[in-house]
């Protein structure tokens, strides 16, 4: 038996755990119970995520908040730029890209 898969960033949309358990010979009542528990967990997780998304509507995503905090500190001069000119140019280029991501043209 060969499982072909591709790893991608993020959460899995489903699990094959109960299928594998069934193939491996785990008793059917155990597999069926695990399937019920798994589906219940997935449903509850989805509901919690929907509530969280509703609460956070209108807020900046966490990545944007982190970018803003970094840019704010840089603007106040609280961050020491790297001594290495190549590294400094790389950091400044990254800052420019970050600002451009949030500023409408």
């Amino acid at each position: 038996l060969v499982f072909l898969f591709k790893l991608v960033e993020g959460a899995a949309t489903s699990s094959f755990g109960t299928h594998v358990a069934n193939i491996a010979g785990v008793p059917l009542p155990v597999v069926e119970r695990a399937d019920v528990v798994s589906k219940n967990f997935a449903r509850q997780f989805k509901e919690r995520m929907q509530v969280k998304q509703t609460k956070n509507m209108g807020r900046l995503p966490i990545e944007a908040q982190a970018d803003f905090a970094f840019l704010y500190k840089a603007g106040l001069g609280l961050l020491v730029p790297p001594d290495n000119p190549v590294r400094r140019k790389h950091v400044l280029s990254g800052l420019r890209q970050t600002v451009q991501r949030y500023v409408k043209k």
Side-chain angles (χ1 to χ4, degrees):
L1 180 61
V2 176
F3 290 97
L4 301 176
F5 57 90
K6 177 181 177 183
L7 295 177
V8 295
E9 187 176 332
T13 56
S14 63
S15 169
F16 294 100
T18 54
H19 299 291
V20 173
N22 191 31
I23 292 169
V26 173
L28 189 57
V30 174
V31 173
E32 289 173 342
R33 177 68 181 136
D35 191 47
V36 168
V37 170
S38 175
K39 286 179 180 172
N40 188 35
F41 176 80
R43 180 186 52 76
Q44 289 176 350
F45 181 78
K46 184 177 179 180
E47 288 171 359
R48 282 194 302 262
M49 291 305 294
Q50 288 173 340
V51 167
K52 203 177 254 191
Q53 286 176 346
T54 302
K55 279 181 160 180
N56 291 332
M57 287 189 127
R59 291 186 182 177
L60 286 175
I62 191 71
E63 299 87 4
Q65 292 177 30
D67 289 341
F68 177 79
F70 183 83
L71 291 171
Y72 181 76
K73 287 179 182 179
L76 291 177
L78 300 175
L79 299 177
V80 179
D83 290 333
N84 181 319
V86 173
R87 177 74 181 130
R88 184 179 310 148
K89 183 176 180 179
H90 179 73
V91 169
L92 291 173
S93 174
L95 287 172
R96 185 177 338 124
Q97 289 173 1
T98 300
V99 170
Q100 287 173 344
R101 199 176 320 143
Y102 298 108
V103 175
K104 293 181 181 180
K105 293 182 180 183

